[in-house]
Amino acid sequence: MGGMRVRPIKTFTVSPALPDELQALSRLSRNLAWSWNTDASSLFERIDPEAWAATSHNALAVLQMCPEARLQALAHDPDFLDHLHRVAADFDAYLARPPRIDVPGTGGNEVIAYFSLEFALTESLPNYSGGLGVLAGDHLKSSSDLGLPLVAVGLLYHQGYFTQRLALDGWQHEEYHQIDIAAQPLTRVRDARGAPVFISVPLGDAHMRAALWRLDVGKASLILLDTALEENGELGREICGRLYGGEAQLRLRQEIVLGIGGVRALYALGMQPVVCHMNEGHSALLALERIRTLMETTGATFDEARLPVSAATVFTTHTAVAAGIDLFPPELVEQELGSYYAAMGLDAHSFIGLGRMDPHNVHEPFSMALLGLRLSATSNGVSRIHGGVSRRLWADAWPDLPEEDVPIGSITNGVHLPTWVNHEIGQLYDRAMGPGWRDNPDHAETWQHVYDIDDRELWWVHQEQRRRLIRHARDQYEASAARNGLATSDIAGLRVLDPEILTIGFARRFAGYKRATLLFRDVERLGRIVNHAERPVQFIFAGKAHPRDDGAKQMIREVQQTSLLPELRGRIVLLDHYDVGLARLLVQGCDVWLNTPLRPLEASGTSGMKAVANGALHASVMDGWWSEAYRPGAGWAIGRDRPDDSPEVQDVFDAASLYDLLEAHIAPAFYTRDAEGVPRDWIGKMKRSIATYAPVYNTGRMVREYASSAYAPAAHGWDSLTRDNLRPAREMAEWLARVRAAWPQVHVASVDDDARDEWQAGEPITVRACVQPGALTADDLCVEAVHGHAQFDTGLETDVVTRLELLPSREGVLVYGGEVRPGGGGRMGYTVRVVAHHPGLQNPLALGLVRWTA
């Protein structure tokens, strides 16, 4: 259509004029605590159910859109006012309750800063793409629940991540929409005089200003940087335009703003980030900015300032494959950051080497994740199996360490239960367990009361959730068909999904290793399963592919086209417009949650955790969290747990195993009912699953684990190394320089023992080692006997490390001795290593200064 578009010369935000009786709605709508309080969210839905749906559940936008007449009616509605007063009282009590966790060295303005490129807090603010953002949002919410002094830092994207639309043939199309910032519960950060606060970020030889916004998330805050300012032109709009949009240069600039700008934002707000947590490598530059700041304020060198910053930095990797790591050309890094690191006294070789497996390989690209690993004293994967995968992935960065000693541990992910548990299921939990499942979700004893819930009541509530999901899925499926031009008569004939039959969900980011199409390996057999006369089964698929991942898009298309085959039509449905809202409906309404990744490429996988907390049963390949969680009788393991299986072998075994489980175990258990029509055995499995997994795989447990094993040591490291104007850090840096210079002369000269060819388990072996320390002393070294099972093909498996004691020595040679006690049967072995030692080091092996017996 033609016609002129009139543009305003100025815009401003107008808050609704609320009657006095409704004033509490304003503050409730501006804190995202309502997003995980189902009583609060139902209050806003009650104002205008259609607006609630149209705004993707945006409490503030619902208020802004509400007509004055409706507000006046609500102000005189006793039931609504009672509801409002109850929600407001709960909110005030939540904000007032004391912290449930303490990290010494933090509190007040001394904070734990959590950096992430994306946060999924609510579907109405699409500043997320998938699991990384969902995990970040749940981490922030549980930090609020626990009263942890944590402040999150991210970017404010004005278009966010794309809205997904599938064509009739199943090909994914991406649609970007401008986010109305005025309709979001964001507060512009201002100084004491009321002026907006800005920070400056270096980009190449220039600087760019960024505005700051605050988003309140319960008792926690998320600070968002915004470069989409008029003065910054198109570049500023690009940086804060789309999440994961653009080529390498734009991605690098986003990461510069997040890491360097994020630290500057905290300082501008008067906060001291005692501990910084990098959620993936995108924010790795935060460590450089903290180092630069210490150099500037204390006069320290780079090597001196690096020590307390590294000690106080935590890095979490979510990547299980090398292809998922951001790599940047060295010349691009030099172009965008050259002036910045040169001001710290670093040349290109020194700085770019921090992001290379081999710092001396000038042809190797720059890895932001490796920079984060090298500048963090504490690093972790997101499940036990992923910790091992990560150690293997990054082993070349520590060439003198065996894989098991690569300094990457694991803290298994969790989910924020109040966000993901359905309201009605939550009410059952409230009656059976009290508020403990929300307030202290990691107390296993609390969850034992799930067995007190009446079987019939649990089954009735679960069935209602399935029916709700099917109604929504049908409506969405038909709406998508209509958008794609399908005739009304054709849409009426679709007849997809049945609200009363076994429903299995598969919803996650589409990627090749997640194997969404494994189910279709034998379409004929699958057709018999889904159309079984007495035990029919249906599947609901959903998920997005990265805009540049055509292979994943092809997989989505294959799911769509396979679902339209005559033998599967109506029993398999692919839904588009995947977001947090649809994900919530799926995990709440499915009977079984399906996960079929290629082992060991699933870092963690949290969708199954959400599903089991709602009573679904999990059926998964033994990968990610399921490899450590699975218990027989509380879900199903697909395939065989053989790490040496090739992808082709895994496909064959896993597909056959999945069909067998569906036919012989899952469907029969679901459809076996008693005289009242209740599947008692199935409900027993539901309760066992909830009681087993919910107390462990939640972010309450996860954040407590980060606090004790990562944040507390990091805060202690910061405190101990920054005292007296960094005196301990300066002394350690001097020690480290001396040790590095002398290390080439350190050798294990000889090792003797009294071992025989055959030995009794537990019987001591006396070991004696002679070490040539070069210019170092015994105080600089730790000598250890490493012993365990010895394999011809894989070498020594480290089971036990025994520190050897210094014995009387002679000039130029240090003598150490001790006992090794083999603890198991079979072929055992040992060796001796020398490790650089300093009492201030959190993990001496992370230095990579190790000498092994030749």
Side-chain angles (χ1 to χ4, degrees), residues 140 144 150-153 214-223 271:
L140 187 53
S144 169
L150 183 143
V151 175
V153 181
R214 189 188 78 246
L215 185 62
D216 292 325
V217 185
K219 294 196 281 186
S221 294
L222 170 58
I223 305 302
M271 297 180 188

Side-chain angles (χ1 to χ4, degrees), residues 516-536:
T517 57
L518 182 72
L519 181 66
F520 308 137
R521 191 172 179 88
D522 185 341
V523 171
E524 182 180 348
R525 188 174 179 185
L526 179 60
R528 293 196 300 270
I529 291 171
V530 299
N531 294 305
H532 193 284
E534 297 174 354
R535 300 192 298 269

Side-chain angles (χ1 to χ4, degrees), residues 576-596:
D576 61 1
H577 282 71
Y578 184 59
D579 65 2
V580 164
L582 179 55
R584 190 182 296 112
L585 281 169
L586 286 161
V587 298
Q588 292 174 353
C590 285
D591 301 299
V592 174
W593 199 255
L594 181 63
N595 190 32
T596 54

